[in-house]
Amino acid sequence: MEEKSLSKTLKVDEENLAVTMGSGSLMVLATPAVVALMENAAAQLAQNQLGSDELTTVGTMISVEHTSPTPIGAAVTATAVLEETDGRTFKFKVTAEDKKGIIAKGTHTRISVNAEKFQMKADSRFDD
């Protein structure tokens, strides 16, 4: 049976605080760190679905509501649930929680691409 969800956990430390990342002035988990953790879970889940080293996925949309602060030292777990796929497009429901409950939720979309061709396209964008 195909895997439909995947979770990733991080411990909040100085490098992922809002004050360190520049997304705020407080010593709480930064929203960009929450988003990255969610995207990481979704990317790994999508890669597991692809089953090919030639293919990878790229994020094309993420919409997240970060509703509760998490202090340094706490653990946060992000979970991506694959809601829909057509083989190339992967749509996820994403959530993040700490021991007190949900801290963020949203949606994320990824598209599968040929890794080598995509990298070549990116590298050549500024060839003048």
Side-chain angles (χ1 to χ4, degrees):
M1 187 171 148
E2 284 188 347
E3 188 178 27
K4 293 290 184 190
S5 70
L6 192 138
S7 297
K8 293 276 192 166
T9 301
L10 71 74
K11 183 176 180 180
V12 180
D13 61 20
E14 285 203 26
E15 77 178 27
N16 49 40
L17 294 177
V19 67
T20 304
M21 296 187 82
S23 65
S25 60
L26 298 174
M27 292 184 57
V28 296
L29 181 63
T31 300
V34 174
V35 169
L37 187 63
M38 292 170 148
E39 189 168 13
N40 185 267
Q44 185 175 336
L45 180 55
Q47 192 64 42
N48 293 349
Q49 300 282 323
L50 291 173
S52 168
D53 291 339
E54 292 179 8
L55 298 176
T56 190
T57 60
V58 293
T60 59
M61 188 284 301
I62 192 157
S63 176
V64 173
E65 183 181 14
H66 188 183
T67 55
S68 294
T70 305
I72 196 165
V76 172
T77 300
T79 301
V81 177
L82 182 59
E83 297 275 287
E84 182 183 333
T85 183
D86 65 8
R88 181 151 194 251
T89 302
F90 298 84
K91 295 185 178 185
F92 301 91
K93 180 175 79 172
V94 289
T95 57
E97 60 187 303
D98 59 24
K99 71 179 185 178
K100 294 292 188 175
I102 297 287
I103 65 162
K105 61 184 175 181
T107 58
H108 179 44
T109 303
R110 301 187 69 77
I111 304 291
S112 68
V113 297
N114 178 290
E116 186 177 341
K117 287 180 183 176
F118 192 87
Q119 188 63 60
M120 286 173 39
K121 179 181 177 182
D123 292 347
S124 69
R125 282 196 68 226
F126 293 96
D127 291 345
D128 291 24

